[in-house]
Amino acid sequence: QVQLVESGGGSVQAGGSLRLSCAASGNTHSGYCMGWFRQVTGREREGVATIDSDGSTTYRESVKGRFTISKDNAKNTLYLQMNSLKPEDTAMYYCAGSYGYESPCYSDYARFLEVRGQGTLVTVSS
């Protein structure tokens, strides 16, 4: 059993930065793909970024060049550095992962990864 807990959300003005963290606990050694997705109430989830066990990363087009996904295996922590934030980035952000099998691992698939945290809210004002 793996548990994921996000932190680091908040309110910023457009152009600002935030760093999200996702602490994983439990049987994390079987992890293959980890990622971030986001959701605005009433809208579909959007995959944002993924990173696989080899460190390969993917991003949705609208965040390329602004967001960076990374992980610290020693700390069992996933990160999402978000720069040049825009009002359209406002959403609840969730980290997610696949454990025990080699799931697909690309940005849009992040919303389907089966282990998920509770989310952290990011609000970007213009």
Side-chain angles (χ1 to χ4, degrees), residues 22-80:
C22 173
S25 61
N27 189 20
T28 61
H29 73 276
S30 63
Y32 174 68
C33 180
M34 294 197 74
W36 295 90
F37 67 91
R38 63 191 183 187
Q39 187 169 26
V40 175
T41 302
R43 296 175 61 179
E44 289 191 0
R45 294 172 182 168
E46 292 183 342
V48 175
T50 57
I51 185 167
D52 69 16
S53 57
D54 292 330
S56 296
T57 59
T58 69
Y59 298 92
R60 78 179 287 113
E61 194 64 35
S62 63
V63 308
K64 284 182 180 178
R66 302 188 297 121
F67 291 12
T68 303
I69 188 172
S70 62
K71 60 180 179 176
D72 185 329
N73 290 329
K75 295 182 178 180
N76 284 331
T77 301
L78 179 73
Y79 302 100
L80 185 68

CSV table of all heavy atoms in Angstrom, one decimal, residues 22-80:
chain,number,residue,atom,x,y,z
A,22,CYS,N,5.3,16.0,-3.2
A,22,CYS,CA,4.5,14.9,-3.0
A,22,CYS,C,5.3,13.8,-2.2
A,22,CYS,O,6.2,13.2,-2.8
A,22,CYS,CB,3.9,14.3,-4.3
A,22,CYS,SG,3.0,12.8,-4.1
A,23,ALA,N,5.0,13.6,-1.0
A,23,ALA,CA,5.7,12.6,-0.2
A,23,ALA,C,5.0,11.3,-0.3
A,23,ALA,O,3.8,11.2,0.0
A,23,ALA,CB,5.8,13.1,1.3
A,24,ALA,N,5.8,10.3,-0.6
A,24,ALA,CA,5.3,8.9,-0.8
A,24,ALA,C,5.7,8.1,0.4
A,24,ALA,O,6.9,8.2,0.9
A,24,ALA,CB,5.7,8.3,-2.1
A,25,SER,N,4.8,7.2,0.9
A,25,SER,CA,5.2,6.3,2.0
A,25,SER,C,4.6,5.0,1.7
A,25,SER,O,3.6,4.9,0.9
A,25,SER,CB,4.7,6.8,3.3
A,25,SER,OG,3.3,7.0,3.3
A,26,GLY,N,5.1,3.9,2.4
A,26,GLY,CA,4.6,2.6,2.1
A,26,GLY,C,5.5,1.8,1.2
A,26,GLY,O,6.7,2.1,1.1
A,27,ASN,N,4.9,1.0,0.4
A,27,ASN,CA,5.7,0.1,-0.5
A,27,ASN,C,6.1,0.8,-1.8
A,27,ASN,O,5.6,0.5,-2.9
A,27,ASN,CB,4.8,-1.1,-0.8
A,27,ASN,CG,5.6,-2.2,-1.6
A,27,ASN,OD1,6.8,-2.2,-1.6
A,27,ASN,ND2,4.9,-3.1,-2.3
A,28,THR,N,6.9,1.8,-1.7
A,28,THR,CA,7.2,2.6,-2.8
A,28,THR,C,8.3,2.1,-3.8
A,28,THR,O,8.4,2.6,-4.9
A,28,THR,CB,7.8,4.0,-2.3
A,28,THR,OG1,9.0,3.8,-1.6
A,28,THR,CG2,6.7,4.7,-1.5
A,29,HIS,N,8.9,1.0,-3.4
A,29,HIS,CA,10.0,0.5,-4.2
A,29,HIS,C,9.5,-0.1,-5.5
A,29,HIS,O,10.3,-0.2,-6.5
A,29,HIS,CB,10.8,-0.6,-3.5
A,29,HIS,CG,10.1,-1.9,-3.3
A,29,HIS,ND1,9.2,-2.2,-2.3
A,29,HIS,CD2,10.2,-3.0,-4.1
A,29,HIS,CE1,8.8,-3.4,-2.5
A,29,HIS,NE2,9.3,-3.9,-3.5
A,30,SER,N,8.2,-0.4,-5.6
A,30,SER,CA,7.7,-1.0,-6.8
A,30,SER,C,7.1,0.1,-7.8
A,30,SER,O,6.5,-0.2,-8.8
A,30,SER,CB,6.5,-2.0,-6.5
A,30,SER,OG,5.5,-1.3,-5.8
A,31,GLY,N,7.4,1.3,-7.5
A,31,GLY,CA,6.9,2.4,-8.3
A,31,GLY,C,7.5,2.5,-9.7
A,31,GLY,O,8.7,2.2,-9.8
A,32,TYR,N,6.7,2.8,-10.7
A,32,TYR,CA,7.2,2.9,-12.1
A,32,TYR,C,7.0,4.3,-12.6
A,32,TYR,O,8.0,4.9,-13.0
A,32,TYR,CB,6.5,1.9,-13.0
A,32,TYR,CG,6.9,2.1,-14.4
A,32,TYR,CD1,8.2,1.8,-14.8
A,32,TYR,CD2,6.0,2.5,-15.3
A,32,TYR,CE1,8.6,2.0,-16.1
A,32,TYR,CE2,6.4,2.8,-16.6
A,32,TYR,CZ,7.7,2.5,-17.0
A,32,TYR,OH,8.1,2.7,-18.3
A,33,CYS,N,5.8,4.7,-12.6
A,33,CYS,CA,5.5,6.0,-13.2
A,33,CYS,C,4.9,6.9,-12.1
A,33,CYS,O,4.0,6.5,-11.4
A,33,CYS,CB,4.5,5.9,-14.4
A,33,CYS,SG,4.0,7.5,-15.1
A,34,MET,N,5.3,8.1,-12.0
A,34,MET,CA,4.7,9.1,-11.1
A,34,MET,C,4.4,10.4,-11.9
A,34,MET,O,5.1,10.7,-12.9
A,34,MET,CB,5.6,9.4,-9.9
A,34,MET,CG,5.8,8.3,-9.0
A,34,MET,SD,6.4,8.8,-7.4
A,34,MET,CE,4.9,9.5,-6.7
A,35,GLY,N,3.4,11.1,-11.5
A,35,GLY,CA,3.0,12.3,-12.2
A,35,GLY,C,2.1,13.2,-11.5
A,35,GLY,O,1.8,13.0,-10.3
A,36,TRP,N,1.8,14.3,-12.1
A,36,TRP,CA,0.8,15.3,-11.6
A,36,TRP,C,-0.3,15.5,-12.6
A,36,TRP,O,-0.1,15.5,-13.8
A,36,TRP,CB,1.6,16.6,-11.4
A,36,TRP,CG,2.6,16.6,-10.4
A,36,TRP,CD1,4.0,16.3,-10.6
A,36,TRP,CD2,2.5,16.9,-9.0
A,36,TRP,NE1,4.6,16.4,-9.4
A,36,TRP,CE2,3.8,16.8,-8.4
A,36,TRP,CE3,1.4,17.3,-8.2
A,36,TRP,CZ2,4.0,17.0,-7.0
A,36,TRP,CZ3,1.6,17.5,-6.8
A,36,TRP,CH2,2.9,17.3,-6.3
A,37,PHE,N,-1.5,15.6,-12.1
A,37,PHE,CA,-2.6,16.0,-12.9
A,37,PHE,C,-3.3,17.1,-12.1
A,37,PHE,O,-3.1,17.3,-10.9
A,37,PHE,CB,-3.6,14.8,-13.2
A,37,PHE,CG,-4.3,14.2,-12.1
A,37,PHE,CD1,-5.6,14.7,-11.7
A,37,PHE,CD2,-3.8,13.1,-11.4
A,37,PHE,CE1,-6.3,14.1,-10.7
A,37,PHE,CE2,-4.5,12.5,-10.4
A,37,PHE,CZ,-5.7,13.0,-10.0
A,38,ARG,N,-4.2,17.8,-12.8
A,38,ARG,CA,-4.9,18.9,-12.1
A,38,ARG,C,-6.4,18.9,-12.5
A,38,ARG,O,-6.8,18.3,-13.6
A,38,ARG,CB,-4.3,20.3,-12.5
A,38,ARG,CG,-4.3,20.6,-14.0
A,38,ARG,CD,-3.5,21.8,-14.3
A,38,ARG,NE,-3.5,22.2,-15.7
A,38,ARG,CZ,-2.8,23.2,-16.2
A,38,ARG,NH1,-1.9,23.8,-15.4
A,38,ARG,NH2,-2.9,23.5,-17.5
A,39,GLN,N,-7.2,19.5,-11.7
A,39,GLN,CA,-8.6,19.5,-12.0
A,39,GLN,C,-9.3,20.8,-11.5
A,39,GLN,O,-9.0,21.2,-10.3
A,39,GLN,CB,-9.3,18.3,-11.4
A,39,GLN,CG,-10.8,18.2,-11.8
A,39,GLN,CD,-11.4,16.8,-11.4
A,39,GLN,OE1,-10.9,16.2,-10.5
A,39,GLN,NE2,-12.4,16.4,-12.2
A,40,VAL,N,-10.1,21.4,-12.3
A,40,VAL,CA,-10.9,22.5,-11.9
A,40,VAL,C,-12.3,21.9,-11.7
A,40,VAL,O,-12.8,21.1,-12.5
A,40,VAL,CB,-10.9,23.6,-13.0
A,40,VAL,CG1,-11.9,24.7,-12.6
A,40,VAL,CG2,-9.5,24.2,-13.2
A,41,THR,N,-13.0,22.3,-10.7
A,41,THR,CA,-14.3,21.9,-10.4
A,41,THR,C,-15.2,22.0,-11.6
A,41,THR,O,-15.3,23.1,-12.3
A,41,THR,CB,-15.0,22.6,-9.2
A,41,THR,OG1,-14.1,22.5,-8.1
A,41,THR,CG2,-16.3,22.1,-8.9
A,42,GLY,N,-15.9,20.9,-12.0
A,42,GLY,CA,-16.8,20.9,-13.1
A,42,GLY,C,-16.1,20.6,-14.5
A,42,GLY,O,-16.8,20.6,-15.5
A,43,ARG,N,-14.8,20.4,-14.4
A,43,ARG,CA,-14.1,20.1,-15.7
A,43,ARG,C,-13.3,18.8,-15.6
A,43,ARG,O,-13.1,18.3,-14.5
A,43,ARG,CB,-13.1,21.3,-16.0
A,43,ARG,CG,-13.9,22.6,-16.3
A,43,ARG,CD,-12.9,23.8,-16.5
A,43,ARG,NE,-12.0,23.6,-17.6
A,43,ARG,CZ,-11.1,24.4,-18.0
A,43,ARG,NH1,-10.9,25.6,-17.3
A,43,ARG,NH2,-10.3,24.2,-19.0
A,44,GLU,N,-12.9,18.3,-16.7
A,44,GLU,CA,-12.2,17.0,-16.7
A,44,GLU,C,-10.8,17.2,-16.1
A,44,GLU,O,-10.2,18.3,-16.2
A,44,GLU,CB,-12.1,16.5,-18.1
A,44,GLU,CG,-13.4,16.0,-18.7
A,44,GLU,CD,-13.2,15.2,-20.0
A,44,GLU,OE1,-12.0,15.1,-20.4
A,44,GLU,OE2,-14.2,14.7,-20.5
A,45,ARG,N,-10.3,16.1,-15.6
A,45,ARG,CA,-8.9,16.2,-15.2
A,45,ARG,C,-7.9,16.4,-16.3
A,45,ARG,O,-8.2,15.9,-17.4
A,45,ARG,CB,-8.5,14.8,-14.5
A,45,ARG,CG,-9.3,14.5,-13.2
A,45,ARG,CD,-9.0,13.1,-12.8
A,45,ARG,NE,-9.8,12.8,-11.5
A,45,ARG,CZ,-9.9,11.6,-11.1
A,45,ARG,NH1,-9.3,10.6,-11.6
A,45,ARG,NH2,-10.6,11.4,-10.0
A,46,GLU,N,-6.8,17.0,-16.1
A,46,GLU,CA,-5.8,17.3,-17.1
A,46,GLU,C,-4.5,16.7,-16.6
A,46,GLU,O,-4.0,17.0,-15.5
A,46,GLU,CB,-5.6,18.8,-17.4
A,46,GLU,CG,-6.7,19.5,-18.0
A,46,GLU,CD,-6.4,20.9,-18.3
A,46,GLU,OE1,-5.4,21.5,-17.7
A,46,GLU,OE2,-7.1,21.6,-19.1
A,47,GLY,N,-3.9,15.8,-17.4
A,47,GLY,CA,-2.6,15.3,-17.1
A,47,GLY,C,-1.6,16.5,-17.3
A,47,GLY,O,-1.7,17.2,-18.3
A,48,VAL,N,-0.7,16.6,-16.3
A,48,VAL,CA,0.3,17.7,-16.4
A,48,VAL,C,1.7,17.3,-16.8
A,48,VAL,O,2.3,17.8,-17.7
A,48,VAL,CB,0.3,18.5,-15.1
A,48,VAL,CG1,1.4,19.6,-15.1
A,48,VAL,CG2,-1.1,19.1,-14.8
A,49,ALA,N,2.2,16.3,-16.1
A,49,ALA,CA,3.6,15.8,-16.3
A,49,ALA,C,3.8,14.5,-15.7
A,49,ALA,O,3.1,14.1,-14.7
A,49,ALA,CB,4.6,16.8,-15.7
A,50,THR,N,4.7,13.7,-16.2
A,50,THR,CA,5.1,12.4,-15.7
A,50,THR,C,6.6,12.3,-15.6
A,50,THR,O,7.3,12.9,-16.4
A,50,THR,CB,4.5,11.3,-16.5
A,50,THR,OG1,4.9,11.4,-17.8
A,50,THR,CG2,3.0,11.2,-16.4
A,51,ILE,N,7.0,11.3,-14.8
A,51,ILE,CA,8.4,10.9,-14.7
A,51,ILE,C,8.4,9.5,-14.5
A,51,ILE,O,7.7,9.0,-13.6
A,51,ILE,CB,9.2,11.7,-13.7
A,51,ILE,CG1,10.7,11.4,-13.7
A,51,ILE,CG2,8.6,11.6,-12.3
A,51,ILE,CD1,11.6,12.4,-12.9
A,52,ASP,N,9.2,8.7,-15.2
A,52,ASP,CA,9.2,7.3,-15.0
A,52,ASP,C,10.5,6.8,-14.2
A,52,ASP,O,11.2,7.7,-13.7
A,52,ASP,CB,9.2,6.5,-16.3
A,52,ASP,CG,10.4,6.6,-17.2
A,52,ASP,OD1,11.5,7.0,-16.7
A,52,ASP,OD2,10.3,6.3,-18.4
A,53,SER,N,10.6,5.5,-14.0
A,53,SER,CA,11.7,5.0,-13.1
A,53,SER,C,13.1,5.3,-13.7
A,53,SER,O,14.0,5.3,-12.9
A,53,SER,CB,11.5,3.5,-12.9
A,53,SER,OG,11.5,2.9,-14.1
A,54,ASP,N,13.2,5.6,-15.0
A,54,ASP,CA,14.5,5.9,-15.5
A,54,ASP,C,14.7,7.4,-15.5
A,54,ASP,O,15.8,7.9,-15.9
A,54,ASP,CB,14.6,5.4,-17.0
A,54,ASP,CG,14.6,3.9,-17.1
A,54,ASP,OD1,15.1,3.3,-16.1
A,54,ASP,OD2,14.1,3.4,-18.1
A,55,GLY,N,13.7,8.2,-15.1
A,55,GLY,CA,13.9,9.6,-15.0
A,55,GLY,C,13.4,10.4,-16.3
A,55,GLY,O,13.6,11.6,-16.4
A,56,SER,N,12.8,9.6,-17.2
A,56,SER,CA,12.3,10.3,-18.4
A,56,SER,C,11.0,11.1,-18.1
A,56,SER,O,10.2,10.6,-17.4
A,56,SER,CB,12.0,9.3,-19.5
A,56,SER,OG,13.2,8.6,-19.9
A,57,THR,N,10.9,12.3,-18.6
A,57,THR,CA,9.8,13.1,-18.3
A,57,THR,C,9.0,13.5,-19.5
A,57,THR,O,9.5,13.5,-20.7
A,57,THR,CB,10.3,14.5,-17.7
A,57,THR,OG1,11.2,15.1,-18.6
A,57,THR,CG2,11.1,14.2,-16.4
A,58,THR,N,7.7,13.8,-19.3
A,58,THR,CA,6.8,14.3,-20.3
A,58,THR,C,6.0,15.4,-19.7
A,58,THR,O,5.7,15.4,-18.5
A,58,THR,CB,5.9,13.2,-20.9
A,58,THR,OG1,4.9,12.8,-19.9
A,58,THR,CG2,6.7,11.9,-21.4
A,59,TYR,N,5.5,16.3,-20.6
A,59,TYR,CA,4.7,17.4,-20.1
A,59,TYR,C,3.6,17.7,-21.1
A,59,TYR,O,3.7,17.5,-22.3
A,59,TYR,CB,5.6,18.7,-20.1
A,59,TYR,CG,6.7,18.6,-19.1
A,59,TYR,CD1,8.0,18.2,-19.5
A,59,TYR,CD2,6.6,19.0,-17.8
A,59,TYR,CE1,9.0,18.1,-18.7
A,59,TYR,CE2,7.6,18.9,-16.9
A,59,TYR,CZ,8.8,18.4,-17.3
A,59,TYR,OH,9.9,18.4,-16.4
A,60,ARG,N,2.4,18.2,-20.6
A,60,ARG,CA,1.4,18.7,-21.5
A,60,ARG,C,1.9,19.9,-22.2
A,60,ARG,O,2.8,20.7,-21.6
A,60,ARG,CB,0.1,18.9,-20.8
A,60,ARG,CG,0.0,20.2,-20.0
A,60,ARG,CD,-1.4,20.3,-19.3
A,60,ARG,NE,-2.4,20.7,-20.3
A,60,ARG,CZ,-3.4,19.9,-20.6
A,60,ARG,NH1,-3.5,18.6,-20.0
A,60,ARG,NH2,-4.4,20.2,-21.4
A,61,GLU,N,1.5,20.2,-23.4
A,61,GLU,CA,2.0,21.2,-24.2
A,61,GLU,C,2.0,22.6,-23.5
A,61,GLU,O,2.9,23.4,-23.6
A,61,GLU,CB,1.3,21.3,-25.5
A,61,GLU,CG,2.0,22.1,-26.6
A,61,GLU,CD,3.3,21.5,-27.0
A,61,GLU,OE1,3.5,20.3,-27.0
A,61,GLU,OE2,4.2,22.3,-27.3
A,62,SER,N,0.9,22.9,-22.8
A,62,SER,CA,0.7,24.2,-22.3
A,62,SER,C,1.6,24.6,-21.1
A,62,SER,O,1.7,25.7,-20.7
A,62,SER,CB,-0.7,24.4,-21.8
A,62,SER,OG,-1.1,23.5,-20.8
A,63,VAL,N,2.3,23.6,-20.5
A,63,VAL,CA,3.2,23.8,-19.4
A,63,VAL,C,4.7,23.6,-19.8
A,63,VAL,O,5.6,23.9,-18.9
A,63,VAL,CB,2.9,23.0,-18.2
A,63,VAL,CG1,1.4,23.1,-17.8
A,63,VAL,CG2,3.3,21.5,-18.4
A,64,LYS,N,5.0,23.2,-21.0
A,64,LYS,CA,6.3,23.0,-21.4
A,64,LYS,C,7.1,24.3,-21.3
A,64,LYS,O,6.7,25.4,-21.7
A,64,LYS,CB,6.4,22.5,-22.8
A,64,LYS,CG,6.0,21.0,-23.0
A,64,LYS,CD,6.2,20.5,-24.4
A,64,LYS,CE,5.8,19.1,-24.5
A,64,LYS,NZ,5.9,18.6,-25.9
A,65,GLY,N,8.3,24.2,-20.7
A,65,GLY,CA,9.2,25.4,-20.6
A,65,GLY,C,8.9,26.2,-19.3
A,65,GLY,O,9.6,27.1,-19.0
A,66,ARG,N,7.8,25.9,-18.6
A,66,ARG,CA,7.4,26.6,-17.4
A,66,ARG,C,7.4,25.6,-16.2
A,66,ARG,O,7.8,26.1,-15.1
A,66,ARG,CB,6.0,27.2,-17.5
A,66,ARG,CG,5.9,28.2,-18.7
A,66,ARG,CD,4.5,28.9,-18.6
A,66,ARG,NE,3.4,28.0,-18.8
A,66,ARG,CZ,2.4,27.9,-17.9
A,66,ARG,NH1,2.4,28.6,-16.8
A,66,ARG,NH2,1.4,27.0,-18.1
A,67,PHE,N,7.0,24.4,-16.4
A,67,PHE,CA,7.0,23.4,-15.3
A,67,PHE,C,8.1,22.4,-15.4
A,67,PHE,O,8.5,22.0,-16.5
A,67,PHE,CB,5.6,22.7,-15.3
A,67,PHE,CG,4.4,23.5,-14.9
A,67,PHE,CD1,4.5,24.9,-14.8
A,67,PHE,CD2,3.2,22.9,-14.7
A,67,PHE,CE1,3.3,25.6,-14.5
A,67,PHE,CE2,2.1,23.6,-14.3
A,67,PHE,CZ,2.1,25.0,-14.3
A,68,THR,N,8.6,22.0,-14.3
A,68,THR,CA,9.6,20.9,-14.2
A,68,THR,C,9.2,19.9,-13.2
A,68,THR,O,9.0,20.2,-12.0
A,68,THR,CB,11.0,21.5,-13.9
A,68,THR,OG1,11.3,22.5,-14.9
A,68,THR,CG2,12.0,20.4,-14.0
A,69,ILE,N,9.1,18.6,-13.6
A,69,ILE,CA,8.9,17.5,-12.7
A,69,ILE,C,10.2,16.9,-12.4
A,69,ILE,O,11.1,16.7,-13.2
A,69,ILE,CB,7.9,16.5,-13.3
A,69,ILE,CG1,7.5,15.5,-12.3
A,69,ILE,CG2,8.5,15.8,-14.6
A,69,ILE,CD1,6.3,14.5,-12.8
A,70,SER,N,10.3,16.5,-11.1
A,70,SER,CA,11.6,15.8,-10.7
A,70,SER,C,11.2,15.0,-9.5
A,70,SER,O,10.1,15.0,-8.9
A,70,SER,CB,12.6,16.8,-10.3
A,70,SER,OG,12.2,17.7,-9.2
A,71,LYS,N,12.2,14.1,-9.1
A,71,LYS,CA,12.0,13.3,-7.9
A,71,LYS,C,13.3,13.1,-7.2
A,71,LYS,O,14.3,13.1,-7.8
A,71,LYS,CB,11.3,11.9,-8.3
A,71,LYS,CG,12.2,11.1,-9.2
A,71,LYS,CD,11.5,9.8,-9.6
A,71,LYS,CE,12.3,9.0,-10.6
A,71,LYS,NZ,11.7,7.6,-10.8
A,72,ASP,N,13.1,12.9,-5.9
A,72,ASP,CA,14.3,12.5,-5.0
A,72,ASP,C,14.0,11.2,-4.5
A,72,ASP,O,13.2,11.0,-3.5
A,72,ASP,CB,14.4,13.6,-3.9
A,72,ASP,CG,15.6,13.4,-3.1
A,72,ASP,OD1,16.1,12.2,-2.9
A,72,ASP,OD2,16.2,14.4,-2.6
A,73,ASN,N,14.6,10.1,-5.0
A,73,ASN,CA,14.3,8.8,-4.6
A,73,ASN,C,14.7,8.5,-3.2
A,73,ASN,O,14.1,7.8,-2.5
A,73,ASN,CB,15.1,7.8,-5.5
A,73,ASN,CG,14.5,7.8,-6.9
A,73,ASN,OD1,13.3,8.0,-7.1
A,73,ASN,ND2,15.3,7.5,-7.9
A,74,ALA,N,15.8,9.2,-2.7
A,74,ALA,CA,16.2,9.0,-1.3
A,74,ALA,C,15.2,9.5,-0.3
A,74,ALA,O,15.0,8.9,0.8
A,74,ALA,CB,17.6,9.7,-1.1
A,75,LYS,N,14.5,10.5,-0.7
A,75,LYS,CA,13.4,11.1,0.1
A,75,LYS,C,12.0,10.6,-0.2
A,75,LYS,O,11.1,11.0,0.4
A,75,LYS,CB,13.5,12.6,0.0
A,75,LYS,CG,14.8,13.2,0.6
A,75,LYS,CD,14.7,14.8,0.5
A,75,LYS,CE,16.0,15.4,1.0
A,75,LYS,NZ,15.9,16.9,1.0
A,76,ASN,N,11.9,9.8,-1.2
A,76,ASN,CA,10.6,9.3,-1.7
A,76,ASN,C,9.7,10.5,-2.0
A,76,ASN,O,8.5,10.5,-1.5
A,76,ASN,CB,10.0,8.3,-0.7
A,76,ASN,CG,10.6,7.0,-0.7
A,76,ASN,OD1,11.1,6.5,-1.8
A,76,ASN,ND2,10.6,6.3,0.4
A,77,THR,N,10.2,11.5,-2.6
A,77,THR,CA,9.4,12.7,-2.8
A,77,THR,C,9.4,13.1,-4.3
A,77,THR,O,10.5,13.1,-4.9
A,77,THR,CB,9.9,13.9,-2.0
A,77,THR,OG1,9.9,13.5,-0.6
A,77,THR,CG2,9.1,15.1,-2.2
A,78,LEU,N,8.3,13.5,-4.8
A,78,LEU,CA,8.1,14.0,-6.1
A,78,LEU,C,7.8,15.5,-6.1
A,78,LEU,O,7.2,16.0,-5.1
A,78,LEU,CB,6.8,13.3,-6.8
A,78,LEU,CG,6.5,13.7,-8.2
A,78,LEU,CD1,7.5,13.1,-9.2
A,78,LEU,CD2,5.1,13.2,-8.5
A,79,TYR,N,8.4,16.2,-7.1
A,79,TYR,CA,8.2,17.6,-7.1
A,79,TYR,C,7.6,18.1,-8.4
A,79,TYR,O,7.7,17.5,-9.4
A,79,TYR,CB,9.6,18.3,-6.9
A,79,TYR,CG,10.3,17.9,-5.6
A,79,TYR,CD1,11.3,17.0,-5.6
A,79,TYR,CD2,10.0,18.5,-4.4
A,79,TYR,CE1,12.0,16.6,-4.5
A,79,TYR,CE2,10.6,18.2,-3.2
A,79,TYR,CZ,11.6,17.2,-3.3
A,79,TYR,OH,12.3,16.9,-2.1
A,80,LEU,N,7.0,19.3,-8.3
A,80,LEU,CA,6.6,20.0,-9.6
A,80,LEU,C,7.0,21.5,-9.3
A,80,LEU,O,6.3,22.2,-8.6
A,80,LEU,CB,5.1,19.8,-9.8
A,80,LEU,CG,4.7,20.4,-11.2
A,80,LEU,CD1,5.3,19.7,-12.3
A,80,LEU,CD2,3.1,20.4,-11.3
